[in-house]
Each structure stands twice: as C-alpha cells, then as structure tokens.
Amino acid sequence: MDEPIFTALDHQFARFMTRQSGLTGIAADRFGLLIKRLSASLTAGHSCLPLTSEEEQVLHGSCLVSADITTPLVLWHGRLYLQRYYRYELRLAEQLKALAQAQCTFPEYQAELVACFGQRPETDTETDWQRQAAEMALTRPLALISGGPGTGKTRTVARILGLLLLALGPDLQIALAAPTGKAAMRLKESISTSLAALPFSASIKEKIPTSACTLHRLLGVRRYSSVFKHNHANPLPWDVVVVDEASMVDLAMMSKLVDALKPGARLVLLGDKDQLASVESGAVLADCIQALPDNTVTLHKSYRFNLEISAFAQAVNRNDSAAAWSMLSSDAPEATTTKSLQLLQEPLPDFIVAQYIRYMEKVAALPGGNNSRQEDDIRQLFQSLNRFRVLCAIRLGTGGALTLNRLVEQKLAASGYPCQPGGWYPGRPVIILSNDYGLNLFNGDIGICLPDPSSQSATPGALKVWFEREDGSLKGYQPYRLPACETVFAMTIHKSQGSEFAEVLVVLPTADTPLLTRELIYTAVTRARTRVLIASDQAIFNAAVKRTISRSSGLHEMLICWE
C-alpha cells in the first residue's frame, strides 16, 4: 500500500478517536497515527487497514477496539476496521457463502442447452465457456460470470433466463440492474438485441425482461436517507436478480443488495474481473471470483470486440508492456484514420478540439423555435457526443480532466462557439458528481445543456440539461436544480466505467503517480469499440502497466473460512 497523504479530515477524525481511546502518551500518539492511516485507507478504497503484530499491541489497550461489533473499531485477523465496514463484510460473506453452497434441483436441460449453444465440444481443448456458464447458473443460485468486452456475457445470461423460465415457469420474476444509468441502458440494449436469436417460443421470450434499472432504483431510494426501502425485513420481490458491471459495485451497495434478496432468490453477477474496482470501498467481484471458483466462469473468447484492441488489452493484462507499446507505435500500412491503435502524434489540444467541433456543429444546427427540440434530436446529440471521449488518468494537473475541459472550452470559444468556461451554454456536456435521490440523478450521469424548447423566453438563459434515463426516456432539468456537476469533454477513467464510446483518447500524465495502474489502462482501452489513441511517453506507459491495484479487504478470507 502506498504511503498515504493525510487530509484535514484524517487528522480531525484521529484526534477525536484518540481523545476517546483511553490512551495517553506514546500509546496515544501511535493510536492516533493508526487511525489516520485507517481513515486514509478508506478514502483510497480499502475496507480495512492491515496491521503488524506490534501495531495490534497498540490497539489492545483501547476501549474503542474489540474483536466484535460491540465497539467503534474492530480488530479481525490482523485487520483494523471501522465497525460499519466490518459489519458489511461479515454480513455479505455470510450470505454469499450460503448462496454459493446451495444447490438447485433442475429438470433435464441438455436438449435445451444444445438448442442454445449447440453440441458440446468434442475435445477438452474446445471448452464452450458460455455453455459452461449456463450450466453453472442453472444449478447454483449464485453465478459469477466474468469476461472482457465482446465475450458474450449478456448473450449468455439472456439464454440462462430463457432456460430458467422454461423450467421454473412463466411466473418467474426477473430483474435486470446495473450500478449506473448508462450501464443499465447498455444492459437493456444488449438483452433486447439478443432476443431475436434465442431458441425459445414467443411466450418465453416475452417474459425475458427488456428493461433495466440502477441498483438505487431496484432497492428503492428514500428521499434524504441512505437507507433503502428493500432490505432483509422487506425483501425484493424478484426470483432472479441480474447485475451487470458488477466490478463497479462497492462493498456497501453489494451488502445491501444481497441482504435484500428474498429467500430462494438467485443472483447473477456479470462483470470484468480485470477492470478497475469500484470507486468506493472494496473489490467485491474480484474477491468473490477468487474465493468462490465453483460459482465462477470466465468467458475467454471475444466475438464482436475489435481484435486489435482486444490483443492490446490482453498484452496489458499479462504485463507485457513491450508488446503493448509495439502495437501502438508500429508503422502499419493502413491509413492513420483507420488504424485501431496508435499513439497520438498531433498536439493534444488541437486534436481534441477538432473532434468536438463536429459535435458543436450539430448543436448549432439544431432547429430553433418552441417545441422543435424533438427527442430524436437530443438522442442524436448523445450519439454524436459518445462517438469520441477523452479519458484522463488524473483529474487535476497537467493532462488532468479539469485542465483539458477548461482548455477545450477556451479553444471552442476562440472558434466562435459560446463555450464560456464554467458557464451554461448550448452543447455543454456535464457529469453529475453527487447523488440526488429526489431528482433521480446519480454520480456519473452525463447530460447535455440545450435551449429549452418549452420556454416562451428567447433569452440565452432559457436552458435545460437533458439526461438519458435507464429506461431509454429523456429527462430535462433547469441548470440551477442540478447537484454538483462539471464539464465533461474529458473525464477520468474511473468515471468512464460502465460506458462505451466509438473512439477514446487516453491521456496519461507526464509524471508517474500511484494512480497509474494496469487495471486503469485496461479499463480505458476497453471503453472503445473501434479506435484507441494514447497520449503518453513509453516510460510512463510501462510504469502504469507494471503496477497493479491491491485493495485491503477481509472478504476473501471470510468467504474461504466461513463455517
């Protein structure tokens, strides 16, 4: 774990806890340092702080620490927790282990599997991973299906749902969910696209859901409260819950989701174990996959993903930075505009602005007048915006998302567009930075500011910010109603999780930082369908590929040793 930089919150929290600890002198100083480190670890996404035996001795003299949930701090197997995170991990491990160990009695389904996936491969070297995932999911109430882009995760789960409906009856209640609205929309589109090829009757296909929602909506948001409507005492009504992009789900949310499942419910988690872990605490999907191999299938074969980008992502994953860099810098004979992988050769600001001028031209060309802004116009703008996106490793500093957004706005303004940095203007893309349960807007949602077609005013201030909802609808809000947000011509790679773009430009900083990791690069390049450009020098790129994320957690150990 890299040495943390303590914030004012870390210092104040440590002072408060030390005053309550009952310790004095050197023991109190050592206790305070451990609390600062714990606080900083939680901010960095760890659920606990690993301790040495000497550090454990410091805690034994405090009334705030015990081995159970009777105190604010919990010491378990050499790890220091805040009680809340220990409870999350303990409860989640208990429930996941119970799901993992359960077996489902399932009718004969070999003929149906053949209809869905064809005959079983004749040799051991030809494993049909999608079929294997289906067999596992049909007989176990907990199914973990991992795979990179294009490996057919949602295609497989659509067939699993059809088989479950066929065997368990058409009254089976199924829910599709994802951590973000964008990921929910992608899940909905993917399932809908898969329906036509399913070898089931029309009556079965009709029962496979084609709508998806966010986990917040699934669990039932309470306004002005972090407590959801559905929990252990008021469980969800669904017999099967499918969650896509599960690597993005943090410890607290996963614990609340599993706690809200009704008895006998099935849980299917889809995700990519090689992606970044959640922005918040924990690495739940990775811990579960490592600890529960009998409930896990990893899909290996890519069917639709760009082969060059796929090969590059695989080279990054196996720590082969030399091979990955060679793919970027090779002089391919094809034209630059058609090459799927390349290093950016043009000046960074000029290249970015040239891409977004196309988008701003479409904004300027929208028809004027009241009620002329039809939904199709707005959807086409979202498609244009999602054609290209700048993904930054860092938020602040040179090459950071904030810096590039400001620079893009300045250059667009110099080209004649009304893009005043920090102001509201037609075409401004924004990303929400905090949850607003009342407005149904969540951290990571992206909107576009446009003239309000329903306004009777011709003033420049008559604007609305439009968002695509997970059900495919559009919702507009006046700018002053929005929670904290910022311009998003460029965004951090962390914020891009669950999204997909035709082309991405990945911008790495000029100096190495612990934020640069193999998972970060992999997540960035797999956001692109057709083209990846990277702005970096070789030394920084190599350093990123060689560094991996390591999150401190006790979930893996709890899952393994749980009785």
Side-chain angles (χ1 to χ4, degrees):
M1 189 185 304
D2 295 294
E3 194 64 30
I5 298 174
F6 298 126
T7 65
L9 178 61
D10 299 332
H11 287 290
Q12 292 299 325
F13 180 62
R15 288 193 188 103
F16 171 79
M17 296 296 285
T18 301
R19 286 197 297 268
Q20 315 300 319
S21 68
L23 301 175
T24 59
I26 295 176
D29 293 339
R30 291 176 177 173
F31 178 87
L33 178 59
L34 290 177
I35 299 304
K36 278 191 285 189
R37 288 175 54 201
L38 173 61
S39 179
S41 294
L42 296 176
T43 302
H46 307 282
S47 62
C48 56
L49 177 68
L51 301 177
T52 65
S53 56
E54 291 78 12
E55 289 169 340
E56 287 189 53
Q57 291 300 317
V58 173
L59 299 173
H60 287 324
S62 173
C63 60
L64 299 181
V65 185
S66 70
D68 54 41
I69 58 175
T70 60
T71 53
L73 299 170
V74 178
L75 184 59
W76 183 84
H77 286 218
R79 298 175 178 88
L80 180 62
Y81 288 86
L82 285 183
Q83 183 200 100
R84 178 164 60 118
Y85 290 95
Y86 177 74
R87 291 171 69 100
Y88 282 145
E89 279 194 1
L90 190 66
R91 180 68 170 162
L92 180 59
E94 176 187 14
Q95 294 175 316
L96 285 177
K97 194 69 172 180
L99 276 175
Q101 292 176 340
Q103 294 285 332
C104 302
T105 301
F106 207 82
E108 177 61 35
Y109 52 83
Q110 290 304 317
E112 289 78 8
L113 282 173
V114 170
C116 288
F117 302 101
Q119 292 290 343
R120 185 186 297 276
E122 296 181 358
T123 67
D124 293 338
T125 60
E126 297 180 71
T127 303
D128 185 339
W129 297 107
Q130 292 189 10
R131 181 192 183 103
Q132 187 169 310
E135 291 177 338
M136 179 263 297
L138 294 178
T139 56
R140 293 179 178 272
L142 174 64
L144 311 171
I145 302 175
S146 177
T151 52
K153 295 187 294 294
T154 50
R155 175 183 181 273
T156 302
V157 85
R159 282 157 173 73
I160 291 170
L161 296 179
L163 290 167
L164 288 172
L165 284 163
L166 195 64
L168 303 180
D171 293 332
L172 195 71
Q173 300 296 304
I174 302 169
L176 305 177
T180 66
K182 178 62 71 175
M185 287 180 62
R186 288 182 59 198
L187 175 60
K188 169 186 177 293
E189 292 165 0
S190 184
I191 293 289
S192 298
T193 302
S194 299
L195 286 181
L198 294 181
F200 301 116
S201 65
S203 60
I204 292 293
K205 290 182 182 181
E206 289 173 359
K207 294 296 183 178
I208 297 176
T210 55
S211 61
C213 65
T214 62
L215 288 173
H216 288 86
R217 182 183 289 274
L218 181 78
L219 291 172
V221 169
R222 293 182 185 273
R223 185 172 292 191
Y224 311 122
S225 173
S226 61
V227 178
F228 292 111
K229 294 177 183 176
H230 292 288
N231 50 43
H232 188 68
N234 180 32
L236 293 163
W238 312 104
D239 301 305
V240 182
V241 176
V242 177
V243 180
D244 197 13
E245 297 288 353
S247 64
M248 297 174 61
V249 183
D250 62 82
L251 173 62
M253 179 61 81
M254 188 66 81
S255 181
K256 292 175 182 179
L257 170 65
V258 175
D259 194 55
L261 296 176
K262 73 176 185 179
R266 294 168 178 261
L267 177 64
V268 181
L269 300 180
L270 309 176
D272 187 344
K273 62 182 177 58
D274 297 315
Q275 276 189 199
L276 285 167
S278 62
V279 176
E280 303 297 331
S281 63
V284 177
L285 182 66
D287 283 341
C288 290
I289 287 174
Q290 189 177 13
L292 303 171
D294 291 341
N295 298 80
T296 300
V297 171
T298 300
L299 307 181
H300 298 283
K301 183 178 179 180
S302 181
Y303 294 89
R304 299 184 310 277
F305 196 47
N306 180 287
L307 294 180
E308 285 185 283
I309 298 175
S310 178
F312 180 78
Q314 291 171 23
V316 169
N317 266 344
R318 65 175 182 264
N319 190 21
D320 194 346
S321 58
W325 187 261
S326 176
M327 294 179 201
L328 288 171
S329 54
S330 63
D331 296 324
E334 60 265 35
T336 299
T337 55
T338 61
K339 188 178 177 185
S340 298
L341 289 163
Q342 68 182 104
L343 288 170
L344 182 68
Q345 304 295 336
E346 303 174 47
L348 182 63
D350 294 343
F351 177 81
I352 297 173
V353 170
Q355 308 308 307
Y356 283 123
I357 277 181
R358 304 178 197 175
Y359 161 74
M360 293 302 295
E361 287 174 346
K362 292 183 179 180
V363 172
L366 288 173
N370 291 337
N371 299 317
S372 62
R373 187 84 64 242
Q374 302 297 320
E375 287 192 354
D376 286 347
D377 295 327
I378 300 175
R379 288 194 172 90
Q380 288 175 13
L381 278 181
F382 273 105
Q383 292 174 5
S384 179
L385 180 65
N386 290 333
R387 183 194 65 81
F388 171 82
R389 189 61 51 85
V390 182
L391 304 182
C392 302
I394 57 176
R395 184 168 181 267
L396 304 173
T398 304
L402 285 183
T403 302
L404 289 179
N405 279 317
R406 189 162 50 247
L407 191 59
V408 169
E409 287 181 316
Q410 290 170 349
K411 285 189 166 290
L412 286 174
S415 299
Y417 296 98
C419 304
Q420 298 304 317
W424 291 102
Y425 52 84
R428 182 190 180 191
V430 296
I431 185 168
I432 299 298
L433 302 178
S434 61
N435 296 336
D436 188 317
Y437 299 115
L439 294 180
N440 193 33
L441 290 173
F442 301 101
N443 190 353
D445 286 353
I446 290 178
I448 297 176
C449 182
L450 296 169
D452 181 2
S454 64
S455 174
Q456 300 300 312
S457 171
T459 64
L463 299 169
K464 269 191 174 180
V465 184
W466 294 90
F467 293 85
E468 291 182 303
R469 309 317 312 164
E470 60 266 24
D471 62 0
S473 64
L474 294 165
K475 177 69 174 177
Y477 303 87
Q478 293 175 306
Y480 73 87
R481 296 187 64 201
L482 298 182
C485 60
E486 64 188 24
T487 303
V488 71
F489 289 111
M491 66 195 304
T492 63
I493 297 168
H494 277 88
K495 292 286 189 183
S496 75
Q497 288 178 271
S499 297
E500 184 179 81
F501 310 99
E503 302 178 10
V504 300
L505 168 61
V506 183
V507 180
L508 304 187
T510 55
D512 192 17
T513 166
L515 292 174
L516 292 177
T517 64
R518 184 181 310 164
E519 293 85 355
L520 191 81
I521 302 299
Y522 175 86
T523 300
V525 300
T526 54
R527 299 309 90 205
R529 293 191 303 272
T530 60
R531 191 181 185 211
V532 173
L533 298 100
I534 293 186
S536 175
D537 65 41
Q538 187 172 2
I540 295 297
F541 179 82
N542 289 347
V545 172
K546 293 183 183 301
R547 184 183 292 117
T548 61
I549 292 175
S550 178
R551 287 225 166 148
S552 297
S553 162
L555 181 60
H556 174 265
E557 187 172 345
M558 289 179 184
L559 285 169
I560 290 176
C561 71
W562 191 268
E563 297 296 337

